Amino acid sequence: MDAEQRKCKRATQKPVCYNPHRQLNPMYIRPIALTLLPLALIASLVLRLNSQRHSEAASPGETRSFPTNGVGTQLAATPPMGWNSWDSYGTTITEADFKSNAKWVAEHLKSFGWRYVIIDMEWFVTNPTPEGNSKTSQYSLDDHGRYTPAVLRFPSSANNAGFKSIADYVHSLGLKFGIHILRGIPKQAVEKNLPIEGSAYHAVDAADTSDTCPWNFDNYGVDAVKPAAQAYYDSIARLYASWDVDFIKVDCISSRPYKGDEIRMLSTALRKTGRPIALSLSPGAAPLEKVDEMRKYAQAWRISDDVWDLWHSTVDYPQGLGDQFPRIAKWAGLAQPGGWPDADMLPIGYLGPAPGWGKARQTRLTHEQQRTLLTLWSMFRSPLMIGGNLPSSDAWTTSLLTNADVIELDQHSKENRPVISTSSTVVWTAQSEPGDDKYVAIFNLDDHEQAVRYAWKDLGLQEAKYKARDLWEHRDHEAAGSISVSLPPHGCALYRLSH
């Protein structure tokens, strides 16, 4: 946390002692005065700037605003990149598991821009099952009805320490720490009518007991018209800020149904803490018509239900990679600094020992499908959250995640859009930022090999000829007026074009 984000304390100065018996020679007074006058003006200006800076910092009870749009200091200026525990551990992640993955990120991925490490859902359940959402779950709560880490899984959380020690470890690696939460207030807190920290309210005053998550039994919703509801969200936000959390993924809030009031209340609570905490909304599909509201209150939002390691799905959960093409196309052009439509996690590498869906396994996506996944997500400028068990990564997975050219596309490009979309082929283009290079991604949606050829003008590109660099094969092509490529089933090609 830098000085802009810390609460300020006024410095005190000792008074300068004056000796009435010491006299200053008059001949020195004028030169000294001429010297000190500009220094005094400079000091006054510095003091004024510092005072302004102090007034911008949050003091207790005040709201510190961290813009979600614009440039400079906003949260998530580029799509967040990191690792999330769900695809490998479900709700069974332990402190040792988490630290080993965080260490791997720091040693192998941090230099490529991967920064966040996130503990996914039900870290407060003392008897977890991989898929979670069990009616028999037992919970760890504090005396104010707020979930706390299960001590047997996270030993450093003992004695009400929460996740502070783990966050300190993550920060010592140069990474950022995140957690998953569910909207609302714990049912157990309501049943016991526990007091809400920092207020005169109790849990019953905040809860809407007629509102529950369709697929999870842990919480009730909160009643947005009751002041106690905001007080509860304020209390958990203060708790997470005291743990030095940097990222919160909040679930059961952005679809089925969309909960705009709770998004606003949680965002407001996080801003009040004075700590810059990025907010990601889940699951999808988030409503397209709510994009302006989500941009105002969050930094990312899911555009679909969970995507797992299959090409096509006939059910709502899980979704397949191939199913994402039309969904992503609907959101094309709506990503912007501080607000990112999220195509979901990257189910690659070893998904085990206890994945949130299915049995432990190596990803079932082929190498070609994995390249398609990274290429489509990057062309779309989605957040990139790895799901695999990183210490078990093989050389292929590591090379996939450390392709600096592909990461550059995800982090720094503009005008990203589909220009051709058929039942068998999809083509996206984008422009580098900064610079005027172009990107072209060609996807084969067929189950068999396909040869394609496009003139640059077919893709809306202006120059008659471009030199093309294949970003996956690391191969350069001479300047030409078209591109020809043979693509394997569900494969892709990704090029950066220059004059």
Side-chain angles (χ1 to χ4, degrees):
M1 185 182 294
D2 60 30
E4 289 287 324
Q5 298 158 353
R6 293 194 181 102
K7 296 176 182 177
C8 298
K9 294 182 178 179
R10 294 188 179 275
T12 58
Q13 296 180 338
K14 294 181 179 180
V16 177
C17 295
Y18 172 64
N19 183 350
H21 301 291
R22 173 175 284 175
Q23 299 294 322
L24 186 64
N25 190 324
M27 67 177 292
Y28 296 120
I29 293 177
R30 180 178 175 83
I32 291 174
L34 292 174
T35 301
L36 292 179
L37 182 59
L39 292 176
L41 292 173
I42 294 172
S44 175
L45 179 60
V46 170
L47 182 62
R48 187 173 180 179
L49 289 172
N50 283 337
S51 177
Q52 178 181 353
R53 207 180 280 131
H54 285 196
S55 70
E56 292 171 355
S59 59
E62 292 180 335
T63 299
R64 171 72 186 277
S65 176
F66 293 92
T68 57
N69 291 297
V71 296
T73 60
Q74 88 277 20
L75 292 169
T78 60
M81 298 170 57
W83 177 83
N84 178 294
S85 63
W86 176 248
D87 285 1
S88 293
Y89 297 94
T91 69
T92 68
I93 185 77
T94 67
E95 184 166 346
D97 297 329
F98 180 74
K99 286 185 173 181
S100 67
N101 278 274
K103 186 170 183 284
W104 203 93
V105 171
E107 291 176 349
H108 300 277
L109 300 180
K110 183 174 71 172
S111 62
F112 292 88
W114 304 90
R115 283 290 184 274
Y116 289 95
V117 284
I118 299 164
I119 297 175
D120 209 86
M121 69 177 293
E122 295 191 330
W123 38 265
F124 42 80
V125 170
T126 61
N127 59 335
T129 57
E131 67 279 5
N133 307 310
S134 172
K135 291 183 178 180
T136 62
S137 291
Q138 297 176 14
Y139 307 105
S140 174
L141 280 79
D142 69 7
D143 293 338
H144 296 283
R146 300 173 296 185
Y147 289 124
T148 56
V151 173
L152 289 180
R153 295 166 56 195
F154 304 98
S156 68
S157 70
N159 301 315
N160 297 316
F163 277 133
K164 182 65 169 68
S165 176
I166 289 179
D168 288 346
Y169 175 76
V170 169
H171 295 151
S172 76
L173 298 175
L175 302 176
K176 293 181 180 292
F177 176 59
I179 60 174
H180 173 290
I181 68 170
L182 288 148
R183 70 171 176 88
I185 186 168
K187 290 180 179 178
Q188 192 172 102
V190 178
E191 291 163 1
K192 295 181 177 181
N193 199 22
L194 296 175
I196 295 174
E197 183 271 333
S199 79
Y201 301 112
H202 286 69
V204 167
D205 302 323
D208 177 358
T209 56
S210 68
D211 177 26
T212 58
C213 180
W215 45 266
N216 179 274
F217 310 101
D218 300 341
N219 289 2
Y220 290 121
V222 297
D223 188 338
V225 304
K226 297 178 179 178
Q230 184 66 63
Y232 182 75
Y233 273 125
D234 290 350
S235 75
I236 64 171
R238 284 192 294 269
L239 182 65
Y240 305 150
S242 75
W243 295 344
D244 287 347
V245 170
D246 304 299
F247 184 102
I248 288 178
K249 173 184 173 183
V250 56
D251 220 331
C252 203
I253 201 166
S254 57
S255 69
R256 302 191 302 274
Y258 176 80
K259 291 287 187 177
D261 285 336
E262 293 201 56
I263 292 171
R264 171 184 51 78
M265 286 190 289
L266 179 56
S267 177
T268 298
L270 293 176
R271 293 186 183 205
K272 285 181 181 179
T273 69
R275 181 173 180 80
I277 302 175
L279 182 61
S280 174
L281 310 176
S282 193
L288 191 66
E289 66 272 16
K290 296 292 186 180
V291 63
D292 289 336
E293 184 171 77
M294 291 186 290
R295 283 173 176 163
K296 182 176 181 181
Y297 295 119
Q299 284 66 57
W301 50 88
R302 282 268 296 282
I303 66 166
S304 76
D305 217 319
D306 288 15
V307 174
W308 280 91
D309 53 328
L310 63 164
W311 180 256
H312 175 61
S313 173
T314 58
V315 295
D316 290 337
Y317 181 94
Q319 288 295 293
L321 165 57
D323 304 319
Q324 289 299 83
F325 281 89
R327 296 190 183 96
I328 285 175
K330 291 179 182 179
W331 288 89
L334 294 177
Q336 62 184 41
W340 306 103
D342 182 358
D344 200 23
M345 291 168 55
L346 310 175
I348 58 177
Y350 176 58
L351 308 179
W357 176 75
K359 297 181 179 179
R361 61 197 181 274
Q362 287 291 335
T363 183
R364 291 173 295 195
L365 296 176
T366 67
H367 283 188
E368 296 300 337
Q369 289 170 342
Q370 291 177 59
R371 282 186 173 182
T372 291
L373 173 68
L374 263 293
T375 302
L376 180 60
W377 267 232
S378 296
M379 258 295 184
F380 179 49
R381 301 203 69 193
S382 172
L384 301 177
M385 293 292 169
I386 308 160
N389 187 329
L390 290 176
S392 301
S393 297
D394 57 17
W396 163 264
T397 303
T398 303
S399 70
L400 196 71
L401 300 174
T402 55
N403 188 316
D405 293 327
V406 178
I407 292 171
E408 176 73 10
L409 166 62
D410 179 80
Q411 296 291 290
H412 304 288
S413 57
K414 62 183 180 181
E415 300 177 15
N416 310 65
R417 62 184 183 272
V419 293
I420 292 176
S421 184
T422 71
S423 60
S424 61
T425 310
V426 169
V427 182
W428 278 64
T429 62
Q431 182 174 319
S432 62
E433 176 64 39
D436 57 0
D437 285 0
K438 310 294 182 183
Y439 291 100
V440 172
I442 307 170
F443 302 94
N444 177 14
L445 307 189
D446 272 355
D447 296 334
H448 55 78
E449 187 172 339
Q450 182 181 183
V452 297
R453 179 186 181 280
Y454 296 106
W456 302 128
K457 64 179 181 179
D458 297 335
L459 307 180
L461 303 178
Q462 301 302 315
E463 297 295 325
K465 290 187 176 184
Y466 287 97
K467 292 183 287 186
R469 176 160 179 81
D470 187 322
L471 300 187
W472 284 118
E473 298 298 333
H474 309 291
R475 188 168 58 237
D476 293 315
H477 298 269
E478 294 295 327
S482 63
I483 192 73
S484 298
V485 63
S486 182
L487 298 174
H490 304 160
C492 71
L494 177 60
Y495 302 100
R496 181 164 179 157
L497 310 180
S498 58
H499 302 307

